[in-house]
Amino acid sequence: MTNRLMAEEDPATASSRRGLRRIFVRDLELVGRVGLLAHEIRYEQRIVISIELSVVDDYDGRSDRLSDVLDYAKIVEGVTALVEGEHVYLLETLAERIAVFCLADPRVASVRVRIEKPDVLPSCKSVGIEIERFRS
């Protein structure tokens, strides 16, 4: 194979190598207003959020530019804004909002959102939910 052929990869070969890249944010600890009980409405509480994204992998492996990949810091900023926004009664509602936010990026093929409330039941390390959503 000549150097020219190595440098100019056949588009069919490049697309066959395309796959999914997994991006994750684990145990993002935030303080927000989530819950139905009177004390949950009155006071903020700790919420631990983990997110796993399956992202269509178009990265060429050479550019080394943040603009060519999904920036997980932007995910953290958006999720933080959602949690610190208005009161939400159900973790399920918050999880759906986070999933919609993540899927708004056209590169995201699917998202898994796990939300835990570590301070609700003294006999448990945490309680919570997990959802997975896919681009339609």
Side-chain angles (χ1 to χ4, degrees):
M1 186 178 297
T2 68
N3 286 341
R4 181 173 179 234
L5 287 177
M6 290 173 71
E8 295 176 20
E9 187 174 27
D10 174 21
T13 304
S15 66
S16 70
R17 283 193 294 123
R18 243 186 223 165
L20 295 175
R21 180 179 305 270
R22 296 233 184 256
I23 296 173
F24 59 88
V25 174
R26 290 197 183 126
D27 300 330
L28 173 63
E29 190 170 314
L30 300 170
V31 175
R33 296 183 328 261
V34 177
L36 290 168
L37 303 176
H39 69 276
E40 292 177 311
I41 294 170
R42 194 173 308 121
Y43 304 108
E44 294 180 326
Q45 62 183 301
R46 285 189 313 142
I47 302 165
V48 179
I49 300 172
S50 295
I51 303 164
E52 184 175 305
L53 305 160
S54 293
V55 178
V56 175
D57 194 358
D58 286 334
Y59 176 61
D60 67 9
R62 295 182 297 250
S63 73
D64 208 27
R65 289 186 307 263
L66 183 58
S67 61
D68 291 340
V69 296
L70 183 71
D71 183 357
Y72 48 79
K74 299 290 184 194
I75 298 297
V76 171
E77 289 171 14
V79 169
T80 300
L82 286 169
V83 170
E84 292 176 351
E86 66 183 343
H87 182 93
V88 177
Y89 290 110
L90 301 175
L91 288 180
E92 290 82 352
T93 303
L94 181 58
E96 293 293 345
R97 290 178 183 176
I98 292 170
V100 166
F101 166 74
C102 292
L103 288 167
D105 187 307
R107 297 170 292 186
V108 176
S110 69
V111 59
R112 178 176 289 145
V113 179
R114 179 184 188 100
I115 305 177
E116 299 175 70
K117 292 167 59 171
D119 303 320
V120 174
L121 299 174
S123 59
C124 301
K125 182 177 177 182
S126 67
V127 297
I129 63 144
E130 183 173 284
I131 65 168
E132 188 169 9
R133 298 294 177 260
F134 304 89
R135 178 167 304 289
S136 53

